[in-house]
């Protein structure tokens, strides 16, 4: 078992840019794509993810520093550190239940497809960490492997079903044929955000306000283009962080680059995915004429849309403001600030790209997420103890990705409710 665990950890340590192409290649062969075409698709997808990671790195490196300086400038006193999704994911993969959950998660997905419960074949293996985090939390709270496996599988089942329901909306808005987005954090934020957004769209006075990348570009010409919006947002954030004009302009250029480059990286990724998607559709139609299958992929595919990334960037200073003014919040947003466009993917699609409605909805959802992340902090901190860099930090740890995700928080509460039965 230890050798198996070590082997799994080695492969996972290679990251999604290696894991996903391997999965894509195997699935391509399964759906009768030739070896050459499957290999080309797999490598193209890997290169696309490298590009996306580079752009996300550009975003997080620049935005993270600005956010930290904004926090210091305004003297915020918040005692729970937002460690960000990479740390939460690493802790989930390092948990005692991770090794046993990998084959179980895959088997459950295949079984659910076989019985026609879901249309999503989740090939985004790296993002299994969302299910594993729920399992790790269940194990920490109850001490039971059985319960940990149960809640992880239940999280998977719910996530796949929501991804199915949202898939037509995602495919139409983001132009992703045959794709669904079963990323646990995206689903969790969308679960709350989509109903809230619908209510906002019905409120007199608000429902008629339409601000989208297209309307901005029509009214402001070249200054309404995505890269110009990134430039302006970056300069404003830089000034709020206390940057001098030159440094604020540098931040603006960096965020403008993110707005321009991200859709192009997603386009490369899609070049690799389209042959797999078409092959899978043909394969299924030849055997199950009444079946439709979605390929479940990372919500990184959605963050390149101008409406989504604009919403995410606008929500960065709003998130910091919320952290200060919300009674009971103790979380200092930092590590997950650059991940907000992942969390708003369903929200923006459900509002058909209306940035105004999406920002209002996102503000409400993130306010709730901060309170959930605060409540999640003790267990989240215990989950992080397996990582050396956090074991002696001397502060509580949480994240918007895990602690602030509604489904994960609900499973924490459920685990705490049943914990007495396991003691």
């Amino acid at each position: 078992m230890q050798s198996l665990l070590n082997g799994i950890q080695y492969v996972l340590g290679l990251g999604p840019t290696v894991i996903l192409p391997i999965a894509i290649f195997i699935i391509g062969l399964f759906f009768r794509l030739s070896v050459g075409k499957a290999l080309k698709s797999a490598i193209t997808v890997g290169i696309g993810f490298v590009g996306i990671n580079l752009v996300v790195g550009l975003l997080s490196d620049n935005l993270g520093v600005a956010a930290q300086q904004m926090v210091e400038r305004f003297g915020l006193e918040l005692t729970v550190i937002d460690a960000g999704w990479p740390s939460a994911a690493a802790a989930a993969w390092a948990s005692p239940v991770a090794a046993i959950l990998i084959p179980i998660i895959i088997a459950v997905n295949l079984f659910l497809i076989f019985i026609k419960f879901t249309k999503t074949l989740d090939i985004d293996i790296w993002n299994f960490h969302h299910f594993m985090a729920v399992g790790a939390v269940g194990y920490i709270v109850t001490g039971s492997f059985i319960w940990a496996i149960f809640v992880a599988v239940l999280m998977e089942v719910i996530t796949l079903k929501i991804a199915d329901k949202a898939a037509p909306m995602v495919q139409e808005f983001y132009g992703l044929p045959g794709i669904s987005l079963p990323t646990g954090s995206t689903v969790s934020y969308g679960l709350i955000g989509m109903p809230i957004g619908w209510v906002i769209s019905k409120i007199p006075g608000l429902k008629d306000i339409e601000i989208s990348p297209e309307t901005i570009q029509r009214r402001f010409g070249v200054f309404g283009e995505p890269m110009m919006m990134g430039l302006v947002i970056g300069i404003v954030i830089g000034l709020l962080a206390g940057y001098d004009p030159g440094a604020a302009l540098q931040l603006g250029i960096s965020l403008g680059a993110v707005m321009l480059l991200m859709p192009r990286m997603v386009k490369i990724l899609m070049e690799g995915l389209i042959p797999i998607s078409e092959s899978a559709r043909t394969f299924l139609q030849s055997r199950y004429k009444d079946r439709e299958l979605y390929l479940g992929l990372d919500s990184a595919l959605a963050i390149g849309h101008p409406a989504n990334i604009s919403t995410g960037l606008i929500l960065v200073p709003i998130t910091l403001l919320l952290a200060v003014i919300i009674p009971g919040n103790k979380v200092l947003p930092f590590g997950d600030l650059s991940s907000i466009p992942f969390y708003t993917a369903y929200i923006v699609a459900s509002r058909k790209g209306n940035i105004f409605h999406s920002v209002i909805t996102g503000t409400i959802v993130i306010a709730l997420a901060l309170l959930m992340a605060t409540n999640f902090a003790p267990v989240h901190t215990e989950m992080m103890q397996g990582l050396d860099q956090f074991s002696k930090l001397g502060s509580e740890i949480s994240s918007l990705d895990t602690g602030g995700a509604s489904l994960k928080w609900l499973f924490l509460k459920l685990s705490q409710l049943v914990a007495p039965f396991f003691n």
Side-chain angles (χ1 to χ4, degrees):
M1 179 61 73
Q2 187 59 45
S3 298
L4 174 63
L5 181 59
N6 291 340
I8 291 171
Q9 292 294 347
Y10 172 77
V11 174
L12 294 175
L14 299 175
T17 56
V18 172
I19 295 172
L20 188 57
I22 291 173
I24 288 288
F25 178 71
I26 293 171
I27 289 169
L29 295 179
F30 178 80
F31 288 127
R32 302 293 191 268
L33 208 60
S34 68
V35 173
K37 288 183 178 180
L39 182 61
K40 182 179 179 180
S41 290
I43 293 173
T44 303
V45 167
I47 291 171
F49 257 101
V50 168
I52 288 174
N53 286 342
L54 288 172
V55 179
V56 171
L58 176 66
L59 177 65
S60 60
D61 290 345
N62 288 276
L63 195 57
V65 173
Q68 184 65 33
Q69 291 197 210
M70 202 183 305
V71 166
E72 293 174 358
R73 185 183 184 204
F74 292 102
L76 308 184
E77 296 183 1
L78 301 168
T79 58
V80 178
I81 296 174
D82 167 21
W85 75 263
S87 299
W93 278 108
S95 67
V97 297
I100 194 172
L101 278 175
I102 296 170
I104 291 174
I105 289 169
I106 294 172
V108 167
N109 189 186
L110 295 174
F111 175 71
L112 293 177
I113 290 173
F114 177 75
I115 64 172
K116 299 184 179 182
F117 179 85
T118 184
K119 299 177 182 179
T120 295
L121 176 62
D122 190 357
I123 61 174
D124 187 17
I125 298 173
W126 171 254
N127 271 317
F128 285 5
H129 73 79
H130 293 287
F131 311 140
M132 293 175 181
V134 170
V137 166
Y139 180 72
I140 289 169
V141 174
T142 67
S144 169
F145 266 92
I146 300 299
W147 178 257
I149 293 169
F150 171 74
V151 290
V153 168
L154 191 55
M155 171 73 177
E156 178 189 12
V157 171
I158 294 172
T159 298
L160 292 174
K161 199 63 179 178
I162 295 174
D164 281 351
K165 296 295 184 182
M169 172 189 75
V170 165
Q171 292 169 13
E172 179 181 359
F173 182 75
Y174 292 113
L176 301 172
I179 302 297
S180 68
L181 304 177
T183 305
S185 53
T186 303
V187 169
S188 292
Y189 278 80
L191 183 63
I192 296 179
M194 288 189 289
I196 292 174
W198 180 85
V199 171
I200 288 171
S201 70
K202 303 298 180 183
I203 297 175
L206 296 180
K207 66 179 182 179
D208 298 323
I209 300 177
E210 171 102 21
I211 300 177
S212 66
E214 292 76 20
T215 57
I216 292 173
Q217 192 162 349
R218 279 200 306 269
R219 293 182 183 181
F220 296 98
V222 66
F223 293 99
E225 293 184 5
M227 64 178 178
M228 297 301 292
M229 288 190 286
L231 174 68
V232 172
I233 293 169
I235 290 173
V236 171
I237 292 174
L239 294 175
L240 287 173
Y243 285 9
D244 62 58
L249 180 59
Q250 285 180 325
L251 179 61
I253 293 292
S254 295
L255 297 193
V258 170
M259 296 284 279
L260 179 66
L261 294 173
M262 185 63 78
R264 300 187 182 189
M265 296 303 103
V266 173
K267 185 178 179 181
I268 293 173
L269 189 68
M270 286 305 300
E271 288 178 8
L273 289 174
I274 287 172
I276 302 292
S277 179
E278 291 177 347
S279 180
R281 192 176 295 110
T282 301
F283 178 87
L284 286 169
Q285 286 176 349
S286 66
R287 287 160 177 77
Y288 309 100
K289 299 188 183 299
D290 62 336
R291 297 295 302 275
E292 184 179 17
L293 185 70
Y294 306 140
L295 294 182
L297 291 168
D298 194 313
S299 55
L301 288 171
I303 69 173
H305 193 285
N308 191 32
I309 201 163
S310 296
T311 297
L313 293 178
I314 293 169
L315 283 171
V316 169
I318 291 175
T319 300
L320 290 167
L321 176 63
L322 289 172
V324 177
I325 66 175
I326 293 176
N329 174 61
K330 295 181 181 179
V331 174
L332 170 62
F334 177 64
D336 274 331
L337 286 175
S338 61
S339 301
I340 292 176
F342 287 81
Y343 308 149
T344 57
Y346 278 11
I347 294 171
V348 173
S350 72
R351 297 301 92 225
K352 301 185 184 333
N354 188 327
I355 297 173
F356 179 74
H357 289 175
S358 298
V359 169
I360 294 177
T361 303
T363 300
I364 297 170
V365 172
I366 288 177
L368 296 172
L370 286 168
L371 293 175
M372 286 186 281
T374 298
N375 181 258
F376 212 121
V379 175
H380 200 300
T381 303
E382 189 171 349
M383 184 177 75
M384 302 292 285
Q385 293 305 306
L387 302 179
D388 292 340
Q389 62 266 42
F390 293 103
S391 60
K392 298 179 181 179
L393 191 59
S395 174
E396 283 195 314
I397 303 164
S398 193
S399 66
L400 293 177
D401 178 80
T402 291
S406 59
L407 281 174
K408 298 177 186 178
W409 182 80
L410 288 172
F411 279 114
L412 167 66
K413 296 291 105 179
L414 179 62
S415 296
Q416 290 173 336
L417 183 65
V418 304
F421 297 100
F422 292 95
N423 296 329

